[in-house]
Amino acid sequence: MARIDDELTKGLFDKRENDVKHPGYEMEMRFYNLVAEGRIKEMMELRKNVPPSNAKERGVLSEDPLRNSMYHMVAMTTLISRSCIAHGMEPEFAYEMSDIYIRRADKAKTLKELNEVREEMISDYAHVMEKRNKQNVRSTQIILCLDYIHDHLHDNISIAELAEHVKLNETYLSKLFKKEMECSIGEHIRRMKVEEAKNLLRYSDMTSIEIATDLGFTSHSYFISVFKKETGMTPREYRNENFRKV
């Protein structure tokens, strides 16, 4: 019986020879984080802009196409459930969802049926996390504000801009937001930008300066100050401790 080392060496050689690569780690982890954060619009944009990988790129786990896709479905469901737990989903709830979808996938007789189960699984986890992130929000205007902030994290967002978007007076919107979110609009925007910065520091090779510029901070020093206030670490320290960790 051949050692795993022999199979590993041969597999890596074959992939190099045929120029076959697994999907990028950064892109994959970005996808899982968007699902876990309930950022459905951005998740869909990411998937739309990335061509679907073929079976060889994902890894051939079985010569049978249906079984191969089933194995990948199980792996994806497991990773999504763990990502959602890391973002606050109750573990038993996440595990039960995972078990339900794996059982449904196990009943699939065709690739089409299996793909439908996979897409439903992704959508359900993302929607549950989106709802969870808004569970304390009551008014339509604040929900619209949160959506707008999520969609414009890479821009400079002003209270006046948000007030115009939801058709409310700036002062009233600020009070309503503070009441429902228990923080000011500015504090929430900074926290969301820092969360996005953490993802980029963990899963991309963008520099701290590039991230600060991309997220609309007025200066790199201000970005460092805000990031350290929220996390207790500088961006450099955070990357050193968390780069490519799930």
Side-chain angles (χ1 to χ4, degrees), residues 226-244:
V226 170
F227 191 92
K228 188 169 185 179
K229 183 178 179 181
E230 290 291 331
T231 66
M233 292 184 279
T234 66
R236 181 190 294 272
E237 290 168 343
Y238 184 85
R239 171 167 272 168
N240 288 341
E241 284 196 17
N242 297 281
F243 187 60
R244 291 195 171 186

Side-chain angles (χ1 to χ4, degrees), residues 99-108 113-114 117 120 124:
D99 292 348
I100 288 170
Y101 277 107
I102 289 173
R103 287 197 297 268
R104 289 185 184 180
D106 187 53
K107 295 178 180 178
E113 290 178 5
L114 187 58
V117 174
E120 185 179 354
D124 275 3

Side-chain angles (χ1 to χ4, degrees), residues 153-155 189-197 215 217:
L153 271 182
H154 297 263
D155 302 327
I189 291 173
R190 286 192 293 274
R191 287 174 190 169
M192 292 301 98
K193 284 180 179 285
V194 167
E195 286 301 313
E196 181 69 356
L215 289 173
F217 284 91

